[in-house]
């Protein structure tokens, strides 16, 4: 960012407090919310750089709390390899875009994610298809990550379609998000974006993120999750539509 003005710092702190709260409530959403809101006030590449440390720490926390990391990694490593490859292939797009295409792509990704979240569709991966679908889904997720800084499409719907147990699913999401965060950080650093002041800002953003997670976990016991999820995805739909249309005007 050209200057770390007080309004920008306040916007970053409030964004990560809210994003951490969403993750504490439903177990995902920190990068999605952070990218969506920060995309209103800064280029997507800078927003993506700020989420690196909060996303990595909170997702490692989520990954470590699951029941069995070894078997899960053995099952999902082809998908994770695809994520790394896709992010590496497209790493220069987010870092070099100055035309508003990345902002539009971010908006479209948020709209698609919101529509999936609001729909009642329940996908299932056919038996025997995981071997070839996993790498393809990982590759697609990596390309979307490289273009938008958001790594939920199509990884989240795919992992939900594997019929994992609840705790296994939470851990699988943590694994996918952790790998995506590391791959995105490497891509941004390779192109000189994740460096200098943005690294320091990303470290500072960890504090409101953790505070938001604790608040979200407290609220999870007091607010109906179905109501919260519906409001979350409706808000995400509106935000995504705004970002997708903004470069056109």
């Amino acid at each position: 960012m050209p200057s770390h003005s007080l309004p920008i710092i306040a916007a970053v702190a409030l964004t990560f407090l809210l994003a951490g709260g969403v993750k504490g409530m439903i177990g995902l959403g920190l990068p999605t919310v952070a990218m969506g809101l920060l995309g209103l006030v800064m280029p997507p590449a800078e927003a993506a750089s700020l989420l690196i440390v909060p996303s990595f720490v909170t997702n490692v926390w989520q990954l470590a709390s699951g029941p069995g990391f070894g078997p899960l990694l053995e099952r999902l490593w082809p998908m994770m390899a695809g994520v790394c490859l896709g992010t590496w292939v497209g790493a220069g797009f987010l870092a070099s875009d100055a035309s508003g295409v990345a902002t539009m792509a971010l908006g479209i990704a948020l709209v698609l994610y919101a529509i999936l979240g609001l729909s009642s569709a329940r996908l299932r991966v056919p038996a025997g298809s995981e071997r070839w679908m996993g790498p393809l889904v990982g590759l697609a997720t990596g390309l979307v990550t490289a273009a938008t800084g958001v790594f939920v499409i199509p990884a989240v719907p795919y992992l939900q379609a594997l019929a994992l147990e609840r705790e296994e699913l939470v851990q699988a999401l943590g694994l996918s998000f952790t790998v995506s965060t590391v791959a995105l950080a490497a891509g941004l650093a390779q192109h000189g974006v994740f460096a200098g002041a943005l690294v320091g800002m990303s470290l500072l953003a960890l504090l409101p993120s953790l505070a938001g997670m604790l608040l979200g976990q407290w609220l999870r016991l007091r607010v109906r999750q179905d109501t919260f999820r519906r409001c979350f995805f409706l808000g995400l739909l509106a935000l995504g539509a705004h970002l997708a249309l903004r470069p056109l005007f």
Side-chain angles (χ1 to χ4, degrees), residues 35 62 68 104 132 134 138 144 152 158 210 215 235-236:
M35 283 298 299
Q62 180 173 328
M104 184 181 294
W132 62 266
V144 173
V152 295
Y158 173 76
L210 294 177
L215 178 61
L236 209 60

Side-chain angles (χ1 to χ4, degrees), residues 191-213:
H191 291 273
V193 180
F194 184 55
L198 286 174
V199 176
M201 288 287 287
S202 184
L203 285 167
L204 291 176
L206 178 61
L207 297 177
S209 299
L210 294 177
M213 274 195 71

